[in-house]
Amino acid sequence: TDYGFIDMNNCKNILSIGGNSNIELLKQLNDTWTLPEDYSLEVKKVDGITMEWVQIKDNKPDKAILQLHGGAYIRSLEDNGITYRRAAVQYAKLSGAGVLTVDYRVAPEHPYPAALEDAVQAYKWLLGEGYPPENIIIAGDSAGGGLVLATSLYIRDNDMPMPAALI
């Protein structure tokens, strides 16, 4: 099953960092990717926030990963969704956890602290769904990585239970 890994031996011009070949390769991967048959994707609306839940089919995971996407706080999950669905499947495959990707509000329409509020709301949702904090990891890349740190500081500063780890 293809989970979105790239065979680097078959990719031409992959080393042209920032070049069009990387953008084209990502577009090609995303355009041809489909959710593996043994995984499910559920789109959830919670307090006006759209979130995507990926897990192994017919399985109630006891662990969760909250994935916060990159995009310079100006690109929504709608802009980057397939890339992060692919990542969610990888996280689920490697950990057995369910993966919640929150489509946090982005600028300029929704400046700070909108993204932070949405990330905290998603974490609270996981807690409310019965996931103990010691079974939750918060992960993010690029702007999402900054949001992971901001979210964890908010959690700490507001005496909420801390997640098990940050990625």
Coordinates of all heavy atoms in Angstrom, one line a residue, residues 108-165:
P108 N -5.2 36.8 6.9 CA -5.5 38.1 7.6 C -6.9 38.2 8.2 O -7.1 39.0 9.0 CB -5.2 39.2 6.6 CG -5.6 38.5 5.3 CD -5.3 37.1 5.4
E109 N -7.8 37.3 7.7 CA -9.2 37.4 8.2 C -9.3 37.1 9.7 O -10.1 37.7 10.4 CB -10.1 36.4 7.5 CG -10.2 36.7 6.0 CD -9.1 36.0 5.2 OE1 -8.3 35.3 5.7 OE2 -9.1 36.3 4.0
H110 N -8.4 36.3 10.2 CA -8.5 35.9 11.6 C -7.1 36.0 12.2 O -6.4 35.0 12.3 CB -9.0 34.4 11.8 CG -10.3 34.2 11.1 ND1 -11.5 34.6 11.7 CD2 -10.7 33.7 10.0 CE1 -12.5 34.3 10.9 NE2 -12.0 33.7 9.8
P111 N -6.7 37.2 12.7 CA -5.3 37.3 13.3 C -5.2 36.7 14.6 O -6.2 36.2 15.2 CB -5.2 38.8 13.4 CG -6.6 39.4 13.4 CD -7.4 38.4 12.7
Y112 N -4.0 36.7 15.2 CA -3.8 36.2 16.5 C -4.8 36.7 17.5 O -5.1 37.9 17.4 CB -2.3 36.6 17.0 CG -2.0 36.2 18.4 CD1 -1.6 34.9 18.6 CD2 -2.2 37.0 19.4 CE1 -1.3 34.5 19.9 CE2 -1.9 36.7 20.7 CZ -1.5 35.4 21.0 OH -1.2 35.0 22.2
P113 N -5.3 36.0 18.4 CA -5.0 34.6 18.8 C -5.9 33.5 18.2 O -6.0 32.5 18.8 CB -5.1 34.7 20.3 CG -6.3 35.6 20.5 CD -6.2 36.6 19.4
A114 N -6.5 33.8 17.1 CA -7.5 32.8 16.5 C -6.9 31.4 16.4 O -7.6 30.4 16.8 CB -8.0 33.3 15.2
A115 N -5.8 31.3 15.8 CA -5.2 29.9 15.6 C -4.9 29.2 16.9 O -5.2 28.0 17.1 CB -3.9 30.0 14.7
L116 N -4.4 30.0 17.9 CA -4.1 29.4 19.2 C -5.4 29.0 19.9 O -5.5 27.9 20.4 CB -3.4 30.5 20.0 CG -3.1 30.1 21.5 CD1 -2.3 28.8 21.6 CD2 -2.5 31.2 22.2
E117 N -6.5 29.8 19.8 CA -7.8 29.5 20.4 C -8.3 28.2 19.8 O -8.8 27.3 20.5 CB -8.8 30.6 20.2 CG -8.5 31.8 20.9 CD -9.3 33.0 20.5 OE1 -9.9 33.0 19.4 OE2 -9.3 34.0 21.2
D118 N -8.1 28.0 18.5 CA -8.7 26.8 17.8 C -7.8 25.6 18.2 O -8.4 24.5 18.4 CB -8.6 27.0 16.3 CG -9.6 28.1 15.8 OD1 -10.4 28.6 16.7 OD2 -9.6 28.4 14.6
A119 N -6.5 25.7 18.3 CA -5.7 24.6 18.7 C -6.0 24.2 20.1 O -6.1 23.0 20.4 CB -4.2 25.0 18.6
V120 N -6.2 25.1 21.0 CA -6.6 24.8 22.4 C -7.9 24.1 22.4 O -8.2 23.1 23.2 CB -6.5 26.1 23.3 CG1 -7.2 25.8 24.7 CG2 -5.1 26.6 23.4
Q121 N -8.9 24.6 21.6 CA -10.2 24.0 21.6 C -10.1 22.6 21.1 O -10.8 21.7 21.6 CB -11.1 24.8 20.6 CG -12.5 24.3 20.6 CD -13.3 24.4 21.9 OE1 -13.0 25.2 22.7 NE2 -14.1 23.4 22.2
A122 N -9.3 22.3 20.1 CA -9.1 20.9 19.6 C -8.5 20.0 20.7 O -8.9 18.9 20.9 CB -8.2 20.9 18.4
Y123 N -7.6 20.5 21.5 CA -7.0 19.8 22.6 C -8.1 19.5 23.6 O -8.2 18.4 24.1 CB -5.8 20.5 23.2 CG -5.1 19.8 24.3 CD1 -4.3 18.7 24.0 CD2 -5.2 20.2 25.6 CE1 -3.7 18.0 25.0 CE2 -4.5 19.5 26.6 CZ -3.8 18.4 26.3 OH -3.1 17.7 27.3
K124 N -8.9 20.5 24.0 CA -9.9 20.3 24.9 C -10.9 19.3 24.4 O -11.5 18.5 25.2 CB -10.7 21.6 25.2 CG -9.9 22.6 26.1 CD -10.6 23.9 26.3 CE -9.9 24.9 27.1 NZ -10.7 26.1 27.3
W125 N -11.2 19.3 23.1 CA -12.1 18.3 22.5 C -11.6 16.9 22.7 O -12.3 16.0 23.1 CB -12.3 18.6 21.0 CG -13.3 17.7 20.4 CD1 -14.7 17.8 20.4 CD2 -13.0 16.5 19.7 NE1 -15.3 16.7 19.8 CE2 -14.3 15.9 19.3 CE3 -11.9 15.9 19.3 CZ2 -14.3 14.8 18.5 CZ3 -11.9 14.7 18.6 CH2 -13.2 14.2 18.2
L126 N -10.3 16.7 22.5 CA -9.7 15.4 22.7 C -9.8 14.9 24.1 O -10.2 13.8 24.4 CB -8.2 15.3 22.3 CG -8.0 15.4 20.8 CD1 -6.5 15.6 20.5 CD2 -8.4 14.1 20.1
L127 N -9.6 15.8 25.1 CA -9.7 15.5 26.5 C -11.2 15.2 26.8 O -11.5 14.2 27.5 CB -9.3 16.7 27.3 CG -7.8 17.1 27.3 CD1 -7.6 18.4 28.1 CD2 -7.0 15.9 27.9
G128 N -12.1 15.9 26.2 CA -13.6 15.7 26.4 C -14.0 14.4 25.8 O -15.0 13.8 26.2
E129 N -13.3 13.9 24.8 CA -13.6 12.6 24.1 C -13.1 11.4 24.9 O -13.2 10.3 24.5 CB -13.1 12.6 22.7 CG -13.9 13.5 21.7 CD -15.3 13.0 21.5 OE1 -15.5 11.8 21.1 OE2 -16.2 13.8 21.8
G130 N -12.4 11.7 26.0 CA -11.9 10.7 26.9 C -10.4 10.3 26.7 O -10.0 9.3 27.3
Y131 N -9.7 11.1 25.9 CA -8.3 10.8 25.7 C -7.5 11.4 26.9 O -7.6 12.7 27.0 CB -7.8 11.3 24.4 CG -8.3 10.5 23.2 CD1 -9.4 11.0 22.5 CD2 -7.7 9.3 22.9 CE1 -9.9 10.2 21.5 CE2 -8.2 8.6 21.8 CZ -9.4 9.0 21.1 OH -9.9 8.3 20.1
P132 N -6.9 10.6 27.7 CA -6.1 11.2 28.8 C -4.9 12.0 28.3 O -4.4 11.6 27.3 CB -5.7 10.0 29.7 CG -5.8 8.8 28.8 CD -6.8 9.2 27.7
P133 N -4.5 13.0 28.9 CA -3.4 13.8 28.4 C -2.1 13.0 28.2 O -1.4 13.3 27.3 CB -3.2 14.9 29.5 CG -3.9 14.5 30.7 CD -5.0 13.5 30.2
E134 N -1.9 12.0 29.0 CA -0.7 11.2 28.8 C -0.8 10.3 27.6 O 0.2 9.7 27.2 CB -0.4 10.3 30.1 CG -1.5 9.3 30.4 CD -2.6 9.9 31.3 OE1 -2.7 11.1 31.5 OE2 -3.4 9.1 31.8
N135 N -1.9 10.3 26.9 CA -2.1 9.6 25.6 C -2.3 10.5 24.4 O -2.7 10.1 23.4 CB -3.3 8.6 25.7 CG -3.0 7.4 26.6 OD1 -1.9 7.3 27.1 ND2 -4.0 6.5 26.7
I136 N -1.9 11.8 24.6 CA -2.0 12.8 23.6 C -0.7 13.4 23.2 O 0.1 13.7 24.1 CB -3.0 13.9 23.9 CG1 -4.4 13.4 24.2 CG2 -3.1 15.0 22.8 CD1 -5.4 14.4 24.8
I137 N -0.4 13.4 22.0 CA 0.8 14.1 21.5 C 0.3 15.2 20.6 O -0.6 15.0 19.8 CB 1.7 13.1 20.6 CG1 2.3 12.1 21.6 CG2 2.8 13.9 19.9 CD1 3.1 11.0 20.8
I138 N 1.0 16.4 20.7 CA 0.7 17.5 19.8 C 1.8 17.6 18.8 O 3.0 17.7 19.2 CB 0.4 18.8 20.5 CG1 -0.7 18.6 21.6 CG2 0.0 19.9 19.5 CD1 -0.9 19.9 22.4
A139 N 1.5 17.6 17.5 CA 2.6 17.6 16.5 C 2.3 18.7 15.5 O 1.1 19.0 15.2 CB 2.6 16.3 15.7
G140 N 3.4 19.3 14.9 CA 3.2 20.4 13.9 C 4.5 20.6 13.2 O 5.5 20.3 13.6
D141 N 4.3 21.2 12.0 CA 5.5 21.6 11.2 C 5.3 23.1 10.8 O 4.2 23.6 10.7 CB 5.6 20.7 10.0 CG 4.5 21.0 9.0 OD1 3.3 20.8 9.3 OD2 4.8 21.4 7.8
S142 N 6.5 23.7 10.6 CA 6.5 25.1 10.2 C 5.7 26.0 11.1 O 5.9 25.9 12.4 CB 6.1 25.2 8.7 OG 6.5 26.4 8.2
A143 N 4.7 26.7 10.6 CA 3.9 27.5 11.5 C 3.2 26.6 12.5 O 3.0 27.0 13.6 CB 2.9 28.3 10.7
G144 N 2.8 25.4 12.1 CA 2.2 24.5 13.0 C 3.1 24.1 14.2 O 2.6 23.9 15.3
G145 N 4.4 24.1 13.9 CA 5.3 23.8 15.0 C 5.4 24.9 16.0 O 5.4 24.7 17.2
G146 N 5.3 26.2 15.5 CA 5.2 27.3 16.4 C 3.9 27.3 17.2 O 3.9 27.6 18.4
L147 N 2.8 26.8 16.5 CA 1.5 26.7 17.2 C 1.5 25.6 18.2 O 0.9 25.7 19.3 CB 0.4 26.5 16.2 CG -1.0 26.6 16.6 CD1 -1.3 27.9 17.4 CD2 -2.0 26.5 15.5
V148 N 2.3 24.5 18.0 CA 2.5 23.5 19.0 C 3.1 24.1 20.3 O 2.6 23.8 21.4 CB 3.3 22.3 18.5 CG1 3.8 21.4 19.6 CG2 2.6 21.6 17.4
L149 N 4.1 24.9 20.1 CA 4.8 25.5 21.3 C 3.8 26.5 22.0 O 3.7 26.4 23.2 CB 6.0 26.2 20.9 CG 7.2 25.2 20.4 CD1 8.3 26.0 19.9 CD2 7.6 24.3 21.5
A150 N 3.1 27.3 21.2 CA 2.2 28.3 21.8 C 1.1 27.6 22.6 O 0.7 28.0 23.6 CB 1.7 29.2 20.7
T151 N 0.6 26.5 21.9 CA -0.5 25.7 22.6 C 0.0 25.1 23.9 O -0.7 25.2 24.9 CB -1.0 24.7 21.6 OG1 -1.5 25.3 20.4 CG2 -2.2 23.9 22.2
S152 N 1.2 24.5 23.9 CA 1.7 23.9 25.1 C 1.9 24.9 26.2 O 1.6 24.6 27.4 CB 2.9 23.1 24.8 OG 4.0 23.9 24.4
L153 N 2.4 26.1 25.8 CA 2.5 27.1 26.8 C 1.2 27.6 27.4 O 1.1 27.9 28.6 CB 3.3 28.3 26.3 CG 4.8 28.0 25.9 CD1 5.4 29.2 25.2 CD2 5.6 27.7 27.2
Y154 N 0.2 27.7 26.5 CA -1.1 28.1 27.0 C -1.7 27.1 27.9 O -2.2 27.4 29.0 CB -2.1 28.3 25.8 CG -3.5 28.7 26.2 CD1 -3.9 30.0 26.2 CD2 -4.4 27.7 26.6 CE1 -5.1 30.3 26.6 CE2 -5.7 28.0 27.0 CZ -6.0 29.4 27.0 OH -7.3 29.7 27.5
I155 N -1.5 25.8 27.6 CA -2.0 24.7 28.4 C -1.3 24.8 29.8 O -2.0 24.7 30.8 CB -1.7 23.3 27.7 CG1 -2.6 23.2 26.5 CG2 -1.9 22.2 28.7 CD1 -2.3 22.0 25.6
R156 N 0.0 24.9 29.8 CA 0.8 25.0 31.0 C 0.3 26.2 31.9 O 0.1 26.1 33.1 CB 2.2 25.1 30.7 CG 3.1 25.2 32.0 CD 4.5 25.7 31.7 NE 4.4 27.2 31.4 CZ 5.4 27.9 30.9 NH1 6.6 27.3 30.7 NH2 5.2 29.1 30.5
D157 N 0.2 27.4 31.2 CA -0.1 28.6 31.9 C -1.5 28.7 32.5 O -1.8 29.5 33.3 CB 0.2 29.8 31.1 CG 1.7 30.0 30.7 OD1 2.5 29.3 31.4 OD2 2.0 30.8 29.9
N158 N -2.4 27.8 31.9 CA -3.8 27.8 32.3 C -4.1 26.6 33.1 O -5.3 26.2 33.3 CB -4.7 28.0 31.1 CG -4.6 29.4 30.6 OD1 -5.3 30.3 31.1 ND2 -3.8 29.6 29.6
D159 N -3.0 26.0 33.7 CA -3.2 24.8 34.6 C -4.0 23.7 34.0 O -4.8 23.0 34.8 CB -3.8 25.3 36.0 CG -2.8 26.2 36.7 OD1 -1.6 26.0 36.6 OD2 -3.3 27.2 37.3
M160 N -3.9 23.5 32.7 CA -4.6 22.3 32.1 C -3.6 21.2 32.1 O -2.4 21.4 32.2 CB -4.9 22.7 30.7 CG -6.0 23.8 30.5 SD -6.2 24.3 28.8 CE -6.7 22.8 28.0
P161 N -4.1 19.9 32.0 CA -3.2 18.8 32.0 C -2.3 18.8 30.7 O -2.8 19.0 29.6 CB -4.1 17.6 32.0 CG -5.4 18.1 31.5 CD -5.5 19.5 31.9
M162 N -1.0 18.6 30.9 CA -0.1 18.7 29.8 C -0.1 17.4 28.9 O -0.3 16.3 29.5 CB 1.4 18.9 30.3 CG 1.6 20.2 31.0 SD 1.5 21.6 29.8 CE 2.9 21.4 28.8
P163 N 0.1 17.5 27.6 CA 0.1 16.3 26.8 C 1.4 15.5 27.1 O 2.3 16.0 27.7 CB 0.1 16.9 25.4 CG 0.8 18.3 25.5 CD 0.3 18.7 26.9
A164 N 1.4 14.3 26.5 CA 2.5 13.4 26.8 C 3.8 13.9 26.1 O 4.9 13.8 26.6 CB 2.2 12.0 26.3
A165 N 3.7 14.5 24.9 CA 4.8 14.9 24.1 C 4.4 16.0 23.1 O 3.3 16.1 22.7 CB 5.5 13.7 23.5

